[in-house]
Amino acid sequence: MENTVKCRRISRGKVKGQVIVTREPLSFLGGVDPNTGRVIDQEHELYHQNLKDKILVIPSGKGSTVGSYVIYQMAKNQTAPRGIVALEAEPIIATGAIMAGVPMVDHPEMDVLSVLENGDQLELDADLETIKIIKK
């Protein structure tokens, strides 16, 4: 099944890859190890999973403004997500994605959290403001 969904561009770029989905907001400061890309927040549903080279699908981010710099550090360490899709991009993750050069969109025209599962493939084209869902 393929489905193209309109979104709003936050950070430019085009990527394709496997998604990692969470229905919980994610804090990068204290929630993700920038050296490995692993989620280290023991209370989060993605605990122990790795964001590296995945397209992260989240409802939103949360936490301290330093989270932007964690995303930037992840990009420098080559442990950052390949792209980010958020239902609502709050300023912390949006700023981090822009600084790190990670393609990001938000406001998808459908509830992607109810459709996507870990392992699905996604084409994120922030320049065209679309995502293409390719079910596994």
Side-chain angles (χ1 to χ4, degrees), residues 66-93:
V66 178
S68 300
Y69 294 99
V70 173
I71 297 170
Y72 178 72
Q73 187 61 49
M74 290 175 74
K76 291 183 77 65
N77 293 345
Q78 299 181 342
T79 62
R82 184 173 290 185
I84 302 173
V85 176
L87 296 185
E88 180 66 42
E90 44 66 57
I92 296 165
I93 290 187

Side-chain angles (χ1 to χ4, degrees), residues 2-51:
E2 279 193 22
N3 196 359
T4 301
V5 180
K6 289 291 292 172
C7 304
R8 178 178 71 162
R9 176 183 48 244
I10 301 297
S11 179
R12 294 189 173 278
K14 181 178 179 179
V15 293
K16 181 177 180 178
Q18 193 176 70
V19 300
I20 186 164
V21 181
T22 179
R23 284 149 188 80
E24 298 175 10
L26 180 64
S27 173
F28 279 81
L29 179 63
V32 180
D33 180 348
N35 295 314
T36 64
R38 283 193 181 278
V39 176
I40 56 174
D41 177 353
Q42 295 180 16
E43 303 298 314
H44 200 277
E45 69 177 325
L46 293 181
Y47 179 58
H48 272 315
Q49 295 197 48
N50 203 310
L51 306 181

